[in-house]
Amino acid sequence: MNSVQIITDALSLGGIYALTALGIGLVFSVLRLANFAHAELVTVAGYALLIGVGLPLPLVLFMAAAASVLVAMATERLAFRPLRHVDQTTMLVSSFAVSILIQNIFVFFSGSRAKGVDILPALARQVSVLGADVSMVKLTTIAVCGATLVGLISFLRFTRLGLEMRAASQDFSMARNLGVRADRVILIAFALSGILAAVVGVLFVAEVGFVQPRLGLQLVIISFVGTVIGGLGNLTGAMVGGFLIGFIATLLQTFLPLELREFREAFLFGIVILILLVRPHGLFPARHLKERV
Amino acid sequence: MKNLQSFVAASVLATAASVTAAQAEDTVKIGFVMSYSGWFQQIDAATIKGAELAVAEINENGGILGRQIEILPFDNKSEPPLGADGALEVIGNGATAVMLPSDFDFGAPGAFVAQQNGVIALSGASDPKFGVTGIGPYAYSISNAAQSQGALLAEWALNEQGWDTAYVLLDNTISYTNSLCDSFAKRWKEIAPEGSLLGEDRFRNDDASIASQVTRIKGLEAQPEAIMMCSYAPGGPSAIRQLRAAGVTSPVLTGESLDGDYWIGIVPDLSDFYVVNYGSVYGDDPSEAVNGFFTRYEAATGGRADVSYALRGYSMIEAYATAANRAGSLDADAVSAELNKFDEEPLVIGNTTFNEDLHIATTRPMLVMQAQDGKFSAVGRFAASVGNLD
């Protein structure tokens, strides 16, 4: 098998997982909330594409991003902010509730059946890279994931808001004492996670060609595992963890013998457990989260 | 307030009971314990509508044993265990037959209850376990067994199309697709030269990408002349989309789980796609009975069917009514004895044969449909030459 193709497969899948893991990680780092409703932010972007079929591409992409960001900010304001001062598990339960609610809204308006969406049909072709046929969808996915990562890192590194977010993720109460406004930082984290979800939604739909109410679910479950092995609360960790999961999944599917291939998930999660046994706080532990013994 | 509520509840129950008692004498009751809501609803909907059409037509022609058929609906809400509650309820209300969802896992809980209470259970499950071995002698499936669909496609690809090499791409999420691909591979190896099955691979319906599987196919020395893909929507069509986007143009074959055109938007302009189902909804079926059925179905429901499953619902009721009329009784043993005598019985779904051990079709012809440039059309009816259910 051609190694260029395998690397492209791994990079594009890893990129999708990395952006999803980062979206979850951003919210976790400032709010300590594993937001399972992140799946629905991906789904919302998908349905925005469905609604926008026939409109000019830039407008459709804007609609997808706007939809995810609006829903992300609305859930923060309505479902999480009022619960911020109670037990953290309450917020977790609230995120499940939001997730199921949004899924059912889609079932109500659009039915449970998948709907075909042929976004970016121009990408359904091959280009030759280093002697291998590589799909344009995959190359675009890799490029867009890369650009989004660079954009996000620049934002966190070079803007005042980014600085505040990094400070808040290190030590939230200290950051507040030093003048960081909690409401604003958390809202921005949700908005950013919405943008990341929209990017993932568009790329994912371009590849699979459909939307359905549970579109983002499996992606988010796998990516959440990525944030955990990367180190919960650490953004570099989330990114690396997401890529790692994509790489391991691709390599397992490629190199496991047929008889074992149907147990791919068992191997994947077996490797995850091994990583966590060796490094219980993930590959890049967030320092402030470690238990003090 | 509480007293008033219980009074209202009691009088509603009393009214319901007296209505039931009054009708008990004059109607033949068939329970429809189906998924009227929830995610399985999309799969059961056409079966229910087909069965309702059969009930209406049979009633117009005098009903069963001169009595009108009455449908007792129960919604299992796409929760298999509720099927048992539903079966108990409709049997309690006098049902002598129960129609259950078209899947073994969804249909079995209700079918066990029917079996225990001496009531015929009907389903479109394509798993032969829905019958004597898995449920008991009162359980019948109107479908073609998944195993026979795989064998049919292997014989058709090799003998009718002359495709010399094949590749198996199995979505192993559900048992139907496993049986389908296993039987294809088994039959192919029996009738084709050694080495002509170029490879096998697995994926899951909710996989984010099947890139590695596509890369493996592209890495073969020669591209397969046919790809047997066992899956269902949305993962199946999405897999075809990914194959085509990567430049894999081999014909794709599959079973009834990808019946219908509701998913075609996932792979616009799909070509070289072949699927077996029960009949064409486009009016080009080789069987005039099927074309006539879908014309009446459209008139009755106000829209073209988007899958062929309505034929199953229709023929389940057709089979039950035929057997009960011949038996001259609604007794499950008598009806079952008549069903077991079905030898090429001309039902709309096709000539159907049951016997004491086999309560599902194996060698009944199925329709091969093709998609070219995004349009479906009938190719012809073909049957597996063997009915191996291993």
XYZ file of all heavy atoms in Angstrom, chain A residues 14-82:
497
model
N -7.016 12.583 11.590
C -6.448 13.161 12.806
C -6.773 14.641 12.932
O -7.061 15.135 14.014
N -6.758 15.355 11.806
C -7.063 16.781 11.821
C -8.488 17.041 12.308
O -8.726 17.928 13.134
N -9.416 16.240 11.794
C -10.823 16.381 12.208
C -10.952 16.125 13.713
O -11.600 16.896 14.445
C -11.701 15.367 11.437
C -11.717 15.700 9.955
C -13.095 15.293 12.023
C -12.780 16.678 9.543
N -10.320 15.034 14.181
C -10.391 14.721 15.610
C -9.709 15.814 16.436
O -10.174 16.172 17.515
C -9.737 13.363 15.911
C -10.575 12.173 15.491
C -9.981 11.010 15.003
C -11.966 12.193 15.603
C -10.739 9.910 14.628
C -12.734 11.093 15.226
C -12.107 9.961 14.738
O -12.862 8.878 14.375
N -8.592 16.342 15.918
C -7.849 17.346 16.680
C -8.682 18.614 16.856
O -8.751 19.179 17.952
C -6.532 17.665 15.981
N -9.343 19.062 15.779
C -10.167 20.267 15.896
C -11.338 20.038 16.848
O -11.709 20.924 17.627
C -10.704 20.696 14.526
C -9.704 21.249 13.518
C -10.432 21.825 12.324
C -8.813 22.305 14.144
N -11.922 18.839 16.790
C -13.026 18.536 17.700
C -12.527 18.493 19.136
O -13.146 19.062 20.051
C -13.666 17.186 17.318
O -13.853 17.149 15.911
C -15.008 17.009 17.999
N -11.383 17.834 19.331
C -10.823 17.740 20.681
C -10.493 19.138 21.212
O -10.710 19.425 22.391
C -9.569 16.862 20.660
N -10.000 20.001 20.334
C -9.684 21.368 20.765
C -10.947 22.121 21.165
O -10.948 22.875 22.140
C -8.995 22.122 19.634
C -7.477 22.104 19.658
C -6.943 22.795 18.423
C -6.967 22.803 20.920
N -12.017 21.923 20.409
C -13.276 22.580 20.739
C -13.759 22.171 22.124
O -14.197 23.003 22.926
N -13.653 20.871 22.407
C -14.052 20.384 23.731
C -13.076 20.913 24.781
O -13.462 21.360 25.860
C -14.061 18.837 23.750
C -15.044 18.304 22.701
C -14.413 18.307 25.129
C -14.878 16.822 22.426
N -11.777 20.876 24.420
C -10.728 21.283 25.354
C -10.809 22.752 25.734
O -10.567 23.125 26.885
N -11.163 23.615 24.771
C -11.261 25.058 25.042
C -12.273 25.322 26.155
O -12.010 26.070 27.097
C -11.723 25.793 23.786
C -10.648 26.287 22.836
C -11.299 26.825 21.565
C -9.812 27.364 23.513
N -13.437 24.708 26.027
C -14.477 24.915 27.029
C -14.062 24.294 28.350
O -14.211 24.890 29.412
C -15.820 24.332 26.530
C -16.837 24.278 27.656
C -16.341 25.161 25.369
N -13.455 23.093 28.259
C -13.047 22.437 29.500
C -12.014 23.269 30.248
O -12.045 23.384 31.471
C -12.490 21.034 29.224
C -12.260 20.255 30.482
C -13.268 19.462 31.019
C -11.048 20.330 31.162
C -13.074 18.773 32.195
C -10.852 19.645 32.345
C -11.865 18.860 32.868
N -11.093 23.881 29.492
C -9.990 24.566 30.153
C -10.474 25.758 30.966
O -9.880 26.082 31.990
C -8.933 24.988 29.128
O -9.478 25.980 28.286
N -11.560 26.421 30.565
C -12.010 27.563 31.356
C -13.178 27.236 32.270
O -13.426 27.941 33.242
C -12.404 28.768 30.460
C -11.181 29.289 29.733
C -13.506 28.414 29.506
N -13.918 26.163 31.966
C -15.133 25.914 32.735
C -15.131 24.566 33.452
O -16.029 24.286 34.249
C -16.338 25.986 31.765
C -17.713 26.187 32.356
C -17.761 27.459 33.190
C -18.770 26.270 31.254
N -14.132 23.711 33.182
C -14.099 22.359 33.751
C -15.347 21.573 33.370
O -15.861 20.798 34.158
C -13.970 22.390 35.280
C -12.725 23.103 35.776
C -11.476 22.277 35.521
N -10.275 23.041 35.820
C -9.579 23.744 34.907
N -9.973 23.759 33.645
N -8.511 24.396 35.232
N -15.849 21.834 32.167
C -17.048 21.133 31.709
C -16.703 20.333 30.457
O -16.201 20.885 29.485
C -18.168 22.135 31.369
C -19.305 21.592 30.489
C -20.174 20.614 31.264
C -20.157 22.718 29.932
N -16.959 19.020 30.515
C -16.845 18.205 29.307
C -18.168 18.354 28.570
O -19.147 17.706 28.907
C -16.591 16.743 29.663
N -18.189 19.236 27.580
C -19.450 19.607 26.940
C -19.853 18.597 25.870
O -19.407 18.669 24.732
C -19.316 21.000 26.324
C -20.606 21.463 25.693
O -21.669 20.912 25.989
N -20.512 22.464 24.834
N -20.716 17.652 26.243
C -21.104 16.625 25.276
C -21.982 17.199 24.176
O -22.126 16.609 23.117
C -21.785 15.451 25.979
C -20.788 14.459 26.464
C -20.236 14.553 27.730
C -20.346 13.449 25.619
C -19.279 13.655 28.154
C -19.386 12.543 26.040
C -18.857 12.651 27.308
N -22.573 18.375 24.448
C -23.392 19.004 23.416
C -22.523 19.563 22.290
O -23.046 20.101 21.315
C -24.254 20.102 24.021
N -21.195 19.424 22.385
C -20.325 19.840 21.288
C -20.707 19.090 20.006
O -20.596 19.633 18.910
C -18.869 19.572 21.653
C -17.891 20.224 20.719
N -17.600 21.567 20.761
C -17.166 19.722 19.690
C -16.729 21.863 19.811
N -16.449 20.761 19.154
N -21.158 17.829 20.179
C -21.578 17.044 19.011
C -22.651 17.785 18.224
O -22.645 17.799 16.989
C -22.113 15.686 19.458
N -23.566 18.430 18.953
C -24.684 19.091 18.277
C -24.226 20.378 17.594
O -24.853 20.830 16.644
C -25.819 19.358 19.261
C -26.684 18.136 19.515
C -25.912 16.923 20.006
O -25.122 17.076 20.965
O -26.063 15.833 19.422
N -23.122 20.968 18.073
C -22.587 22.145 17.365
C -22.107 21.725 15.970
O -22.280 22.456 14.994
C -21.443 22.778 18.150
C -21.780 23.226 19.587
C -20.555 23.846 20.240
C -22.944 24.188 19.587
N -21.506 20.527 15.898
C -21.100 19.998 14.587
C -22.343 19.737 13.738
O -22.403 20.098 12.552
C -20.290 18.687 14.771
C -19.956 18.066 13.422
C -19.020 18.946 15.575
N -23.354 19.117 14.366
C -24.576 18.777 13.632
C -25.284 20.026 13.116
O -25.766 20.051 11.977
C -25.529 17.984 14.548
O -24.780 16.977 15.228
C -26.646 17.341 13.750
N -25.330 21.071 13.959
C -25.999 22.313 13.568
C -25.361 22.882 12.298
O -26.059 23.292 11.360
C -25.921 23.351 14.719
C -26.242 24.738 14.215
C -26.878 22.962 15.833
N -24.037 22.861 12.242
C -23.351 23.354 11.041
C -23.772 22.536 9.832
O -24.022 23.078 8.751
C -21.840 23.285 11.241
N -23.882 21.219 10.024
C -24.309 20.349 8.925
C -25.688 20.718 8.404
O -25.907 20.821 7.194
N -26.624 20.926 9.328
C -27.983 21.269 8.905
C -28.038 22.647 8.256
O -28.858 22.887 7.363
C -28.970 21.162 10.066
C -29.472 19.744 10.253
C -28.817 18.868 11.098
C -30.575 19.282 9.541
C -29.260 17.558 11.250
C -31.024 17.983 9.680
C -30.364 17.117 10.537
O -30.791 15.820 10.672
N -27.152 23.563 8.698
C -27.097 24.870 8.047
C -26.698 24.697 6.579
O -27.222 25.375 5.695
C -26.108 25.779 8.767
N -25.782 23.736 6.312
C -25.400 23.461 4.926
C -26.589 22.942 4.136
O -26.797 23.294 2.974
C -24.269 22.425 4.882
C -22.954 22.790 5.561
C -22.003 21.607 5.504
C -22.331 24.001 4.898
N -27.384 22.087 4.786
C -28.562 21.516 4.129
C -29.541 22.618 3.755
O -30.081 22.651 2.643
C -29.228 20.505 5.068
C -30.493 19.818 4.558
C -30.167 18.879 3.403
C -31.175 19.030 5.672
N -29.756 23.543 4.700
C -30.688 24.650 4.442
C -30.142 25.544 3.329
O -30.897 26.074 2.519
C -30.909 25.470 5.733
C -31.640 24.612 6.767
C -31.690 26.749 5.458
C -31.669 25.224 8.151
N -28.818 25.669 3.292
C -28.211 26.614 2.356
C -27.951 26.059 0.963
O -27.323 26.720 0.145
N -28.414 24.807 0.688
C -28.159 24.208 -0.628
C -28.644 25.149 -1.732
O -29.771 25.640 -1.680
C -28.863 22.840 -0.751
C -28.897 22.372 -2.202
C -28.153 21.801 0.100
N -27.775 25.436 -2.690
C -28.168 26.302 -3.806
C -27.701 27.746 -3.637
O -27.605 28.485 -4.608
N -27.405 28.143 -2.398
C -26.920 29.517 -2.182
C -25.426 29.578 -2.510
O -24.753 28.555 -2.570
C -27.155 29.931 -0.729
C -28.625 29.975 -0.277
C -28.721 30.280 1.209
C -29.371 31.039 -1.080
N -24.885 30.804 -2.716
C -23.447 30.908 -2.994
C -22.614 30.326 -1.849
O -22.979 30.495 -0.676
C -23.221 32.419 -3.113
C -24.564 33.011 -3.307
C -25.564 32.096 -2.720
N -21.514 29.663 -2.213
C -20.713 28.936 -1.227
C -20.276 29.788 -0.027
O -20.444 29.365 1.118
C -19.514 28.289 -1.918
C -18.664 27.399 -1.016
C -19.466 26.199 -0.533
C -17.411 26.944 -1.739
N -19.725 31.008 -0.244
C -19.269 31.776 0.925
C -20.417 32.039 1.909
O -20.227 31.961 3.122
C -18.771 33.096 0.311
C -18.484 32.787 -1.102
C -19.439 31.717 -1.502
N -21.602 32.299 1.368
C -22.758 32.554 2.217
C -23.121 31.306 3.025
O -23.387 31.364 4.229
C -23.946 32.994 1.346
C -25.237 33.308 2.103
C -25.022 34.475 3.059
C -26.366 33.627 1.126
N -23.082 30.146 2.352
C -23.419 28.888 3.028
C -22.429 28.624 4.159
O -22.811 28.243 5.268
C -23.416 27.713 2.030
C -23.738 26.413 2.733
C -24.429 27.964 0.924
N -21.139 28.832 3.868
C -20.119 28.593 4.897
C -20.331 29.544 6.067
O -20.208 29.160 7.240
C -18.714 28.758 4.314
C -18.353 27.758 3.209
C -16.934 28.003 2.713
C -18.481 26.329 3.713
N -20.662 30.804 5.746
C -20.911 31.764 6.817
C -22.106 31.327 7.658
O -22.069 31.386 8.894
C -21.167 33.157 6.224
C -21.570 34.167 7.258
C -20.620 34.726 8.112
C -22.903 34.530 7.420
C -20.995 35.630 9.093
C -23.289 35.436 8.397
C -22.327 35.990 9.235
N -23.156 30.847 6.982
C -24.343 30.376 7.707
C -23.982 29.250 8.670
O -24.446 29.210 9.814
C -25.401 29.872 6.721
C -26.247 30.972 6.095
S -27.178 30.339 4.669
C -28.175 29.071 5.460
N -23.158 28.315 8.187
C -22.777 27.175 9.028
C -22.030 27.670 10.265
O -22.330 27.258 11.399
C -21.912 26.203 8.232
N -21.059 28.580 10.047
C -20.279 29.082 11.177
C -21.172 29.855 12.139
O -21.124 29.662 13.356
C -19.147 29.972 10.671
N -22.030 30.721 11.574
C -22.892 31.533 12.422
C -23.825 30.647 13.247
O -24.036 30.879 14.451
C -23.709 32.494 11.555
N -24.369 29.592 12.613
C -25.301 28.719 13.321
C -24.618 28.055 14.518
O -25.139 28.068 15.640
C -25.852 27.667 12.363
N -23.413 27.495 14.285
C -22.717 26.810 15.381
C -22.359 27.784 16.495
O -22.513 27.482 17.681
C -21.437 26.149 14.878
O -21.754 25.117 14.001
N -21.854 28.973 16.118
C -21.438 29.947 17.133
C -22.657 30.410 17.944
O -22.610 30.470 19.176
C -20.727 31.148 16.471
C -20.494 32.250 17.488
C -19.402 30.696 15.881
N -23.750 30.689 17.255
C -24.949 31.148 17.959
C -25.461 30.085 18.931
O -25.777 30.388 20.089
C -26.060 31.504 16.955
C -25.901 32.857 16.287
C -27.029 33.080 15.282
C -25.910 33.979 17.338
N -25.515 28.839 18.457
C -26.011 27.782 19.332
C -25.057 27.589 20.506
O -25.486 27.405 21.655
C -26.221 26.468 18.547
C -26.552 25.316 19.492
C -27.337 26.636 17.528
N -23.744 27.649 20.224
C -22.762 27.480 21.306
C -22.963 28.565 22.368
O -23.001 28.278 23.576
C -21.340 27.554 20.740
N -23.105 29.824 21.916
C -23.240 30.915 22.876
C -24.589 30.841 23.595
O -24.687 31.117 24.788
C -23.049 32.263 22.165
C -21.574 32.450 21.761
S -21.243 33.783 20.585
C -21.668 35.216 21.488
N -25.618 30.436 22.867
C -26.931 30.338 23.501
C -26.938 29.260 24.577
O -27.488 29.463 25.670
C -28.000 30.040 22.449
N -26.306 28.109 24.304
C -26.307 27.054 25.323
C -25.505 27.508 26.537
O -25.882 27.228 27.681
C -25.712 25.735 24.792
O -24.436 26.000 24.222
C -26.604 25.101 23.759
N -24.425 28.250 26.283
C -23.633 28.748 27.420
C -24.514 29.640 28.294
O -24.581 29.478 29.515
C -22.433 29.550 26.898
C -21.372 29.866 27.954
C -21.716 31.068 28.843
O -22.313 32.046 28.352
O -21.405 31.018 30.048
N -25.194 30.558 27.630
C -25.989 31.554 28.359
C -27.170 30.910 29.084
O -27.462 31.221 30.232
C -26.498 32.603 27.348
C -27.131 33.824 27.945
C -26.077 34.699 28.619
N -26.721 35.741 29.419
C -27.246 35.536 30.634
N -27.229 34.333 31.173
N -27.792 36.534 31.300
N -27.845 29.949 28.399
C -29.106 29.428 28.943
C -28.928 28.169 29.784
O -29.647 27.977 30.764
C -30.088 29.118 27.793
C -30.448 30.314 26.912
C -31.282 29.865 25.722
C -31.204 31.359 27.725
N -27.981 27.312 29.379
C -27.918 26.007 30.041
C -26.759 25.884 31.023
O -26.820 25.068 31.942
C -27.822 24.899 28.994
N -25.684 26.654 30.825
C -24.513 26.453 31.682
C -24.268 27.596 32.660
O -23.915 27.353 33.810
C -23.274 26.202 30.824
C -23.415 25.012 29.915
C -23.237 25.105 28.545
C -23.772 23.778 30.452
C -23.400 24.010 27.726
C -23.930 22.665 29.642
C -23.754 22.786 28.268
N -24.478 28.853 32.202
C -24.171 29.964 33.101
C -24.984 29.903 34.397
O -24.426 30.086 35.478
C -24.361 31.309 32.397
C -23.750 32.447 33.208
C -23.864 33.775 32.527
N -23.083 33.835 31.296
C -22.956 34.955 30.583
N -23.563 36.066 30.970
N -22.249 34.971 29.481
N -26.285 29.594 34.309
C -27.057 29.548 35.558
C -26.594 28.452 36.521
O -26.920 28.485 37.699
C -28.487 29.273 35.085
C -28.513 29.639 33.646
C -27.130 29.388 33.144
